[in-house]
Amino acid sequence: MSLKTTHEIDIVKTSSTKINSVDFDTLTFGTTFTDHMLVCDFREGKWEKPVIKPYEPFLLDPSAKVFHYGQAIFEGMKAYKDENDDVWLFRPDQNLDRFNKSAKRMAMPEVEEWIFMEGLRQLIDLERDWVKKGLGNTLYIRPFMIAIGSGVIAAPSTQYRFMIILSPAKSYYSGEVKVIIAEHYSRAANGGIGAAKAAGNYSAQFYPTKLANEKGFQQIIWTDDATHTKLEEAGTMNVFFRINDTLYTAPTSERILDGVTRKSLIDIAHRDGVKVEERSVLVSELISAAKDGSLKEVFGAGTAAVVNPIIGFSYQDVYYELPKIENSVALQLKETLTNIQYKLAEDTFGWTVRV
C-alpha cells in the first residue's frame, strides 16, 4: 500500500540542513527535530492550503484559546526504514481516525484525510534521510492541533492550527519499571475526555506521577475514578496482565485510550494462539494472582516503547515482585510487532504503508 493523492502542498525548503550536526547514536527521545514541519490553518470555517516549511518557532496572540481553555490534541506515530531504504508507516489510518475522534470530542474541526495523509507522505519523503536503518531506529511523528483564535471568552475557538513535526529516535528503553496502583488520583472519568489524546489528559498525570517517582516508582497503574477497584492504564500506555496463560486488558471506553499498539498486539495474539480477554481486571484479582503465583507478566503497550515490561507493583504500601520468566509473552509479542514494522516479517494484516 502507498500513500498517493492529487492534492498539492506548498513546500518551502530550508537553506541548510542540520542533520550533519546530529549524533544519531545518543538521541534523547523527543528532543531533536528534523529540518521541516507541516502547517495548515483552519480559518473562516475551512482548512487553508497546507505548507511544508523550515522547522521554526511561531507567534501566537497571548489570548489564544489554547493557552486559556486547553483546546489541544495530538497523535504519536513512527516511520521505519527497511534494509532496501524504503520508508514505511504503521497503520496511519488508525491515527487519523483517532485524531478526528479527539478533535470532535474537543469541539475542534476534523482534519481532512488528504491533509493528514498527504502531509505525512510529503513531509516524511522530504526528510527520509532522517530515518535511519536498523532495528530500534525510527522517526517519531507528532501530528497535533491547537486553538489559535484570540479572546478569553470561554467558548471554542474559530481558528485552529494543524501541524506535523518529526523527531528521530532510538530504541526506547526506560530500564526496570515498578508501578504504584492508584488509590486516589484518576487519569479520566466517565463522560470526560479520557478516550481523546488531549493535552490536558497528560498534564493532569504529572503531579501524581511525581509523587510516585519520589517513592521510587516510575509509573502509576490508573484505576477507575468511581471505585478505584478496576485496573485501566499504566502511565501513558495501555496495560496488559498475563495470569497463567491468558492475557487480560481493559476494554476501551470513555476513560481508556484506543491504543494502536494495544489493538495490534491483541490481533497478533489472536493469530498466534495466545488467549486474550478484553475485560475489567480488578485490583483484588491482581493481588490474588500475585500471591498464588499465577500472575506471570504485567506490561504497558504504546507507540514509544512498543512494550514496556513491569517488574513489580505496590498497593496500599505492600510491594509485589513479579517472577522472572524465560518465555515472556510480552517480549514475543514485541518482537513480532517490530518485525512487521521494520519489514523483517510478512505483514499478513496489511498494516504497513510505504511512503
Side-chain angles (χ1 to χ4, degrees), residues 29-239:
F29 183 81
T31 60
T32 300
F33 296 93
T34 65
D35 292 320
H36 300 88
M37 61 186 185
L38 178 134
V39 182
C40 185
D41 287 349
F42 181 91
R43 300 176 190 275
E44 297 182 355
K46 63 181 181 180
W47 287 102
E48 298 177 347
K49 190 174 185 180
V51 59
I52 292 172
K53 58 189 293 188
Y55 185 96
E56 62 185 2
F58 57 88
L59 295 175
L60 285 181
D61 192 288
S63 70
K65 300 273 188 175
V66 64
F67 299 138
H68 302 273
Y69 302 110
Q71 278 188 293
I73 61 172
F74 68 94
E75 274 296 318
M77 311 167 61
K78 286 180 178 177
Y80 311 81
K81 182 173 282 186
D82 67 18
E83 290 304 311
N84 298 317
D85 285 326
D86 288 324
V87 177
W88 299 84
L89 295 172
F90 182 74
R91 307 189 75 176
D93 59 315
Q94 297 296 307
N95 293 100
L96 170 61
D97 180 65
R98 189 172 63 184
F99 191 85
N100 279 337
K101 286 179 179 177
S102 297
K104 185 175 181 180
R105 180 61 183 84
M106 299 296 289
M108 305 169 83
E110 296 183 27
V111 173
E112 294 178 29
E113 181 178 357
W114 79 267
I115 295 174
F116 191 98
M117 292 299 193
E118 183 66 5
L120 271 179
R121 189 194 71 79
Q122 292 199 30
L123 180 61
I124 294 171
D125 188 45
L126 185 63
E127 306 284 54
R128 62 175 52 244
D129 288 344
W130 289 82
V131 194
K132 299 302 181 182
K133 287 193 292 189
L135 202 62
N137 294 322
T138 61
L139 186 66
Y140 182 76
I141 304 164
R142 173 53 63 91
F144 65 100
M145 178 165 41
I146 59 173
I148 60 172
S150 59
V152 295
I153 184 172
S157 177
T158 58
Q159 299 178 21
Y160 297 89
R161 178 160 295 164
F162 170 68
M163 299 183 64
I164 304 175
I165 56 177
L166 309 174
S167 177
K170 294 287 289 181
S171 180
Y172 187 95
Y173 177 70
S174 58
E176 294 187 336
V177 176
K178 297 186 295 182
V179 299
I180 289 179
I181 294 178
E183 299 177 54
H184 173 70
Y185 293 102
S186 299
R187 177 191 170 274
N190 283 329
I193 59 172
K197 281 191 76 72
N201 284 342
Y202 296 80
S203 59
Q205 297 182 35
F206 293 161
Y207 177 68
T209 303
K210 175 178 178 288
L211 297 180
N213 295 161
E214 291 171 352
K215 293 182 178 180
F217 296 87
Q218 287 71 47
Q219 284 291 355
I220 296 172
I221 291 185
W222 303 103
T223 51
D224 68 292
D225 64 299
T227 67
H228 293 291
T229 61
K230 300 174 183 178
L231 300 159
E232 300 206 320
E233 292 195 1
T236 59
M237 299 181 289
N238 296 114
V239 64

Side-chain angles (χ1 to χ4, degrees), residues 239-243 245-251 262-279 281 299 329 333:
V239 64
F240 287 79
F241 308 93
R242 178 187 166 200
I243 299 175
D245 290 324
T246 301
L247 286 179
Y248 298 91
T249 190
R262 172 192 177 276
K263 66 177 69 177
S264 302
L265 294 177
I266 290 172
D267 287 347
I268 290 170
H270 285 316
R271 184 196 68 179
D272 294 349
V274 178
K275 188 176 179 181
V276 182
E277 290 189 22
E278 296 180 64
R279 68 162 176 84
V281 178
F299 60 94
V329 170
L333 289 172

